[in-house]
């Protein structure tokens, strides 16, 4: 064992992704005394502006949106007790096919090696034992999420460290239940993968999920972190169900272990299984 604290590093694309995908584990592991580091790659400037103004519409000022989202991200991190927030500051690339994909400074057009070198510096600094990011499709095909996967994979090579590495996922069984609840709450929710939805089928069959972490006790913190991203409220489906229902329904976060150092048996219920 070493004298440095066990460390979790989560690499996310935009302000708000930390809460959606990993709010539970960030809060839980912080409470267990593990050092938590959040790396947010983009400035979120393609998010909604004040009063829900969409990017490209009159009154959408990308710089102002980025500044607002930074404040929201900091508030979210306070709710989740994130120990260290690191922002790489790349331009939000927008959804696949948007002009923002190719805008100068966008994360999507940044060479992987360039961004990975900066992330590798952070990995050398914090020496994470566990690194979490998205799968190769960015979970749902968003270019910045795909790029986060690519730079994380490359940064691990550059930094020469071998942590446990996880990709976030969602069990298909839960996606179905989630869809039911969303419709119950009157949200316009099209099942991913259905004809109506722009999003392809996401998540994994339950048996392909390696790691199920119980975050029930941290549902309130996760909900508050999501709510801190108020400017994006229209896009955060979870908020529509309210705190009570949310904590009831969303008490587990799931991952696929893609790199291991411990031989901890699968399925496991702890990202740090075998490390403590
Ligand atoms: Zn995102």
């Amino acid at each position: 064992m070493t004298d440095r604290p066990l460390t979790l590093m989560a690499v996310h694309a935009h302000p708000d992704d930390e809460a959606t995908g990993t709010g539970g584990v960030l809060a839980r592991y912080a409470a267990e005394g593990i050092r938590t580091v959040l790396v947010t790659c983009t400035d979120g400037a393609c998010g909604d502006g004040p009063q829900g103004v969409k990017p490209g519409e009159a009154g959408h000022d990308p710089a102002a949106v980025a500044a607002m989202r930074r404040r929201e991200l900091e508030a979210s991190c306070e709710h989740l007790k994130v120990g260290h927030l690191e922002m790489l500051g790349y331009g939000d690339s927008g959804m696949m096919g948007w002009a923002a994909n190719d805008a100068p400074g966008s994360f999507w057009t940044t060479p992987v090696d360039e961004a990975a070198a900066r992330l590798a510096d952070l990995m050398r600094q914090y020496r994470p034992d566990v690194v979490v990011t998205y799968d190769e499709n960015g979970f749902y095909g968003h270019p910045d999420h795909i790029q986060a996967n690519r730079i994380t994979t490359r940064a691990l090579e550059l930094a020469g460290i071998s942590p446990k590495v996880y990709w976030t996922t969602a069990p298909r069984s839960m996606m179905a239940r989630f869809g039911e609840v969303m419709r119950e709450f009157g949200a316009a929710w099209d099942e991913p993968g259905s004809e109506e939805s722009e999003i392809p089928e996401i998540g994994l069959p339950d048996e392909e999920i390696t790691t199920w972490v119980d975050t029930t006790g941290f549902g309130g913190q996760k909900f508050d972190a999501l709510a801190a991203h108020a400017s994006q409220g229209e896009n955060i489906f979870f908020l529509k169900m309210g705190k009570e229902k949310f904590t009831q329904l969303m008490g587990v976060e799931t991952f696929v272990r893609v790199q291991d150092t411990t031989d901890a048996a699968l399925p496991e219920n702890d990202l740090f299984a075998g490390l403590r």
Side-chain angles (χ1 to χ4, degrees):
M1 293 281 119
T2 62
D3 54 0
R4 72 195 161 71
L6 276 176
T7 300
L8 168 65
M9 176 181 278
V11 182
H12 280 294
H14 307 102
D16 76 14
D17 293 319
E18 78 292 344
T20 320
T22 56
V25 292
L26 285 167
R28 175 181 154 170
Y29 289 118
E32 292 180 9
I34 285 170
R35 180 169 65 162
T36 56
V37 181
L38 168 64
V39 181
T40 300
C41 296
T42 79
D43 59 9
C46 289
D48 291 358
Q51 279 84 52
V53 182
K54 303 290 176 192
E57 289 178 358
H60 187 281
D61 172 0
V65 170
M68 174 179 68
R69 298 199 68 186
R70 186 190 178 105
R71 288 192 298 275
E72 291 176 343
L73 177 60
E74 286 165 351
S76 168
C77 285
E78 278 178 36
H79 288 298
L80 300 174
K81 311 277 186 241
V82 167
H84 304 266
L85 169 62
E86 301 282 357
M87 299 187 72
L88 298 186
Y90 291 107
D92 187 338
S93 311
M95 302 294 267
M96 197 62 95
W98 288 14
N101 293 176
D102 302 315
S106 82
F107 190 35
W108 186 236
T109 56
T110 301
V112 168
D113 274 359
E114 187 183 311
R118 294 181 57 204
L119 181 56
D121 283 343
L122 294 171
M123 288 179 175
R124 286 188 204 98
Q125 179 186 340
Y126 291 108
R127 314 275 320 166
D129 303 278
V130 171
V131 171
V132 176
T133 191
Y134 318 105
D135 64 26
E136 291 153 311
N137 188 41
F139 185 59
Y140 72 107
H142 191 298
D144 289 328
H145 290 235
I146 295 171
Q147 187 78 332
N149 167 280
R150 291 178 182 169
I151 74 159
T152 302
T153 304
R154 182 70 182 125
L156 286 162
E157 293 168 5
L158 294 174
I161 59 167
S162 304
K164 290 175 93 178
V165 179
Y166 292 91
W167 292 343
T168 55
T169 190
R172 292 259 165 83
S173 60
M174 197 162 96
M175 293 303 303
R177 178 86 186 89
F178 180 67
E180 279 166 32
V181 173
M182 287 289 84
R183 279 185 290 269
E184 208 177 289
F185 281 81
W189 172 260
D190 297 325
E191 199 73 49
S194 68
E195 272 175 38
E196 302 77 43
S197 177
E198 291 173 12
I199 298 175
E201 190 168 33
I202 52 178
L204 287 174
D206 291 19
E207 61 274 16
E208 289 176 34
I209 291 171
T210 62
T211 310
W212 305 71
V213 184
D214 181 359
T215 57
T216 314
F218 303 90
Q221 275 174 264
K222 179 169 174 171
F223 189 86
D224 290 342
L226 284 165
H229 294 283
S231 69
Q232 309 306 308
E234 211 180 292
N235 309 320
I236 301 177
F237 292 107
F238 296 116
L239 292 175
K240 295 185 171 61
M241 61 175 90
K243 196 172 194 167
E244 198 181 324
K245 186 82 185 174
F246 176 81
T247 44
Q248 245 175 46
L249 193 69
M250 309 300 289
V252 64
E253 288 181 352
T254 50
F255 304 86
V256 177
R257 191 172 84 187
V258 291
Q259 178 176 298
D260 181 41
T261 51
T262 63
D263 287 330
L266 295 179
E268 57 186 5
N269 60 13
D270 177 10
L271 299 175
F272 287 83
L275 289 169
R276 53 178 176 175

